[in-house]
Amino acid sequence: GAVCLVPGGHKKVLQAMLHYQVYAAERTRFQTILNELDRSMGKYRDEVNLKTAIMSFINAVLNAGAGEDSLEFRLHLRYEFLMLGIQPVIDKLRAHENANLDRHIDFFEMVRNEDEHELAKRFEMVHIDTKSASQMFELIKKKVNHTDAYPHLLSILHHCLQMSLKRSTEYLQQWQLVDRILQQIVLQDEKGEDQDVMPLENFNVKNIIKMLVHENEVKQWKEQAERFRKEYAELLGKLEKKERECETKTREKDDMMKTLNKMKDKLQKESLDLRLAREQVVDLASRLNDLVQGGVVFSPPLSPPGGPHLSSVKPAPQSLSLMPPPPPPPISCPPPPPPPPLPPPPPHGGPPPPPGAPPFFSSGVHSLPPETVSSGASLKKKYIPQPSHPLKSFNWSKLGESKINSTIWNEIDDTNAFKVLDLEDFEKMFSAYQRQQKETGSIEDLYLSSRKIKELSVIDGRRAQNCVILLSKLKLSNEEIKRAVLQMDEQEDLAKDMLEQLLKFVPEKSDIDLLGEHKHEIDRMARADRFLYEMSRIDHYQQRLQALFFKKKFAERLAEAKPKVKAILLASKQVCQSKCLKKILEVVLAFGNYMNKGQRGNAFGFKISSLNKIADTKSSIDRGITMLHYLIMILEKKYQEILNIPSDLQHVPEAAKVNLTELEKEVNNIKNGLKAIESELEYQRSRIQEPGDRFLPVMSDFITVASFSFCELEDLLNEGRDKYAKALKHFGEDEGKMQPDEFFGIFDTFLQSFTEARQDLENMRKKKEEEERRARMEAMLKEQREKEKRMKKDKVGNISEEGGEFDDLVSALRSGEVFDKDLSKLKRQRKRSGNQVLETSRERAVTKLNY
């Protein structure tokens, strides 16, 4: 107890008691002390002295250290003693009637009463029965009721109810953990230091409470950060959008400048050609005029078809000299065909349909109402009942009235079926309004279903579903999509893949007819139906979408086609101009004529496809060597410069991948796309432009640049065709019977086989060199071993003598004679046994050598 009064000693005592608890495997740290306090020893003096010491220790533990100032600590530690049953023990100790013991007991009870009274004052009570769980709960409930802490109290009780009530290995520890946490919350001071020595590690109540106090602030910061993050994402999206827009504009500007420079160069070249042509015409006209003035008479032909033309030739110089320069060539290389004549206007006075417009834009015929279908004099009228609300459409192919006669349909009267059918049930099953499949049986279901807005859907279900999926990926409203289409997507809202998908959902005539019947119910339309209806109101929506998609894909398609055309052009030049290839063909021709006799020999040339057959001709000496290997060996000896043929034909592998038919088809598709845009431009110029419609300025600039770029591609393709045809003729192949992928594929296969054969020869040489090196090494090792044998034989005598002396030393060491001062005895013994040791050592040496 005295240690508790020393500074720092109180905590040391608590630590010692905790250590003893672990050592003695007791349930609590003060269990042994209470047992000794209650145990009777039989001797009055010893018993009283022990119990007095124990009570003094208990009072010191309770009131020293943290107990001097902390009511919570004293209540906490005293409650531990009370739970061990100290109160009945104290009542028994009164029977000893010892003054010192009674003094300690009185002090214990006095401090206990004061602390309990102080605790009761906090709850405005006289006394609190800490043994009554209900009274303590009522006090806590009264204290926190109508405060923000009350829901947390209920939460604590609620979760305590959910704790496992089955006795298991973790049952006690769970409640012990709850108890420890509450103790630490009560006892830990503001500095985060624990007054007791049984705290939970890394459990700082002050820091945790600070975190909880600032939880609302943290929540607000998180919300603010999330808001900033969303704003940042939106700004980043806008920035990326603007960057794409600027990149597109910059690329278009660069293309425009390149096109203008090329047009300028072409115009200068054509102007120079025109000036030279004029000078030649003037020169010819002056010479002709001189000849006429000199009196040269030209005899007219015997039967001139149109009489003499000298009179018409004479004024030519004057007219040519006064002729203005011709206009520059048109921008579009393939001029668009003239538009077809416009049909008569529809009966309702609408504008005439544009050329190339889809059928639904030019439809001006209205069908008869369904209830009064008439077929003339032979067919009587049908009276068809009308549904109470719109139904889904049945997309059938209707027979014309002229085809009804003499068919089964002339004998069928569907009005009889209307008498049998349950039309109300039919309307429920095929209503245009989408209903929930779940039946609403209860009043609540009926109320909820009445509040749901019925959606009108007349489009095919699968198509509408796919359309909704596309719109959800676009993340744009119908109005934004409409604006993007009208402005030709200058803000880069529509990606190429999204445009390709949108082309699959262009409103068809049947869709427009059905949606037009329900345009007064646009607010009830489903999402897909409303989208198709809104897009159908854009004039030439499909043509605009196709033009926009073509514009976005044009640069990519041109970039894919141009390298293929260049590959054919360059490869055709290379195979015709390659000296390496020519020399190889010369050597192969010599091989073939030398090997073949009769009709197969004495050739002046061979089909180019035969070039790859030299790799199939194997040597009769070594099956691993082919005629191609032999050809390379000849080239290495006689024509080393020919070995660089792969670099001489570097464009052939790319040309071998090109299918000319597919390439021409793609170029023709680009040409047709440009014609379609030019036709659409003509149509758009003939109509009044809506506000915000940017088709004319955007596509006019595009068609100017694109047409010139396409002209370059088309000229390049024509040149490539000519060069390829010359290459076929150059090698004696029939034109039109061999595609570039087949023709250049022959050379590509030969080049690959050539490279592989060179590698094979290199590997063979390395293998041979390795074998020769290994043979030399083995010969050297063999010679070295022989040399070592001879040296060992020469040293056998010396080795035997040295071995005998060593054995003598070992024997002397074992017998102890090595430590004898008198060495004469050792010498005498050595002299006597010298001959015997020599023979034994010789036998040993021979054995060792044989091994």
Side-chain angles (χ1 to χ4, degrees), residues 486-641:
L486 286 174
Q487 295 179 355
M488 299 309 289
D489 197 26
E490 288 187 310
Q491 296 183 353
E492 296 294 326
D493 291 322
L494 303 174
K496 285 181 285 191
D497 55 340
M498 291 292 107
L499 276 173
E500 189 174 8
Q501 294 298 320
L502 279 173
L503 284 169
K504 298 177 182 178
F505 296 98
V506 173
E508 300 174 356
K509 183 179 183 304
S510 57
D511 299 333
I512 295 175
D513 292 341
L514 291 171
L515 293 169
E517 294 176 2
H518 305 286
K519 61 183 178 181
H520 57 282
E521 298 178 287
I522 187 172
D523 294 335
R524 289 187 175 183
M525 284 185 182
R527 188 179 183 188
D529 296 62
R530 184 178 297 184
F531 168 74
L532 293 178
Y533 177 74
E534 292 288 346
M535 296 305 108
S536 67
R537 296 172 63 186
I538 300 176
D539 186 31
H540 272 212
Y541 170 69
Q542 182 177 4
Q543 285 81 351
R544 287 174 178 270
L545 214 58
Q546 289 172 343
L548 180 57
F549 182 64
F550 182 87
K551 174 178 177 290
K552 286 181 176 287
K553 291 281 290 183
F554 179 77
E556 180 182 337
R557 295 171 71 179
L558 211 64
E560 289 178 0
K562 190 171 283 187
K564 296 178 181 179
V565 177
K566 286 184 176 179
I568 293 177
L569 177 62
L570 296 174
S572 300
K573 290 181 179 179
Q574 286 180 346
V575 295
C576 291
Q577 299 172 0
S578 174
K579 295 180 180 179
C580 297
L581 179 60
K582 184 178 179 180
K583 181 58 70 175
I584 287 176
L585 294 178
E586 178 184 312
V587 176
V588 173
L589 180 62
F591 284 167
N593 280 327
Y594 187 73
M595 297 172 71
N596 296 330
K597 294 181 181 180
Q599 293 182 353
R600 298 183 62 191
N602 197 22
F604 293 94
F606 56 86
K607 288 284 186 181
I608 204 65
S609 57
S610 305
L611 190 61
N612 289 322
K613 294 182 180 179
I614 63 175
D616 301 331
T617 308
K618 299 184 180 296
S619 171
S620 55
I621 299 175
D622 186 355
R623 303 292 293 175
I625 299 295
T626 66
M627 189 174 170
L628 181 58
H629 292 99
Y630 187 78
L631 172 65
I632 294 174
M633 288 189 284
I634 295 298
L635 295 178
E636 287 177 345
K637 293 178 181 178
K638 305 293 184 180
Y639 312 102
Q640 290 190 359
E641 69 278 1

Side-chain angles (χ1 to χ4, degrees), residues 11-31:
K11 188 165 285 190
K12 295 287 185 182
V13 171
L14 292 179
Q15 290 175 350
M17 297 306 299
L18 187 63
H19 176 74
Y20 181 77
Q21 174 194 350
V22 176
Y23 171 76
E26 295 181 344
R27 188 172 61 86
T28 64
R29 51 184 168 176
F30 299 119
Q31 184 175 344

Side-chain angles (χ1 to χ4, degrees), residues 434 455 457 461-475 505 526-532:
Q434 294 179 350
E455 288 188 342
S457 179
R462 183 176 294 276
R463 187 161 182 259
Q465 183 181 4
N466 293 336
C467 183
V468 170
I469 293 173
L470 172 62
L471 294 175
S472 63
K473 291 180 180 178
L474 270 176
K475 298 179 181 179
F505 296 98
R527 188 179 183 188
D529 296 62
R530 184 178 297 184
F531 168 74
L532 293 178

Side-chain angles (χ1 to χ4, degrees), residues 580-816:
C580 297
L581 179 60
K582 184 178 179 180
K583 181 58 70 175
I584 287 176
L585 294 178
E586 178 184 312
V587 176
V588 173
L589 180 62
F591 284 167
N593 280 327
Y594 187 73
M595 297 172 71
N596 296 330
K597 294 181 181 180
Q599 293 182 353
R600 298 183 62 191
N602 197 22
F604 293 94
F606 56 86
K607 288 284 186 181
I608 204 65
S609 57
S610 305
L611 190 61
N612 289 322
K613 294 182 180 179
I614 63 175
D616 301 331
T617 308
K618 299 184 180 296
S619 171
S620 55
I621 299 175
D622 186 355
R623 303 292 293 175
I625 299 295
T626 66
M627 189 174 170
L628 181 58
H629 292 99
Y630 187 78
L631 172 65
I632 294 174
M633 288 189 284
I634 295 298
L635 295 178
E636 287 177 345
K637 293 178 181 178
K638 305 293 184 180
Y639 312 102
Q640 290 190 359
E641 69 278 1
I642 308 301
L643 296 173
N644 294 325
I645 187 172
S647 59
D648 211 21
L649 304 177
Q650 58 182 348
H651 292 286
V652 167
E654 289 298 322
K657 302 174 185 177
V658 179
N659 187 309
L660 187 57
T661 305
E662 293 295 327
L663 180 59
E664 289 175 340
K665 183 179 178 182
E666 173 64 14
V667 173
N668 193 44
N669 289 338
I670 297 175
K671 183 176 182 179
N672 292 335
L674 290 171
K675 286 182 178 179
I677 292 178
E678 289 175 346
S679 299
E680 185 63 21
L681 280 169
E682 289 182 7
Y683 167 73
Q684 294 292 339
R685 290 189 187 101
S686 66
R687 58 182 288 273
I688 300 174
Q689 298 297 310
E690 297 180 8
D693 189 351
R694 297 276 301 159
F695 185 89
L696 276 177
V698 172
M699 297 312 294
S700 296
D701 293 343
F702 167 73
I703 202 69
T704 303
V705 179
S707 298
F708 190 84
S709 301
F710 176 75
C711 277
E712 287 186 332
L713 176 64
E714 198 170 35
D715 294 342
L716 202 64
L717 180 60
N718 292 331
E719 186 181 359
R721 280 201 205 98
D722 295 340
K723 293 294 183 184
Y724 175 64
K726 290 179 180 178
L728 289 176
K729 186 178 179 181
H730 183 72
F731 288 94
E733 301 292 338
D734 296 331
E735 295 184 28
K737 291 186 178 181
M738 191 178 286
Q739 289 289 328
D741 52 348
E742 181 184 356
F743 177 70
F744 294 114
I746 294 170
F747 294 104
D748 185 37
T749 305
F750 174 75
L751 292 176
Q752 292 179 11
S753 303
F754 188 87
T755 305
E756 291 172 2
R758 283 196 69 186
Q759 187 63 43
D760 291 342
L761 290 174
E762 184 67 24
N763 294 337
M764 289 178 188
R765 276 194 290 268
K766 287 182 179 178
K767 185 177 180 182
K768 186 177 179 181
E769 290 174 359
E770 181 65 23
E771 290 175 354
E772 292 176 353
R773 188 184 65 82
R774 193 176 297 159
R776 288 196 301 270
M777 289 294 296
E778 289 178 357
M780 291 173 61
L781 289 172
K782 187 177 180 180
E783 184 180 352
Q784 184 70 21
R785 284 196 296 269
E786 293 293 335
K787 187 177 180 181
E788 289 177 356
K789 279 184 181 181
R790 288 193 300 269
M791 292 175 66
K792 285 181 180 178
K793 287 180 181 179
D794 295 339
K795 294 182 179 180
V796 165
N798 297 333
I799 293 173
S800 300
E801 292 179 1
E802 291 176 1
E805 292 179 0
F806 182 75
D807 289 344
D808 288 345
L809 290 174
V810 172
S811 299
L813 183 64
R814 288 178 179 176
S815 62

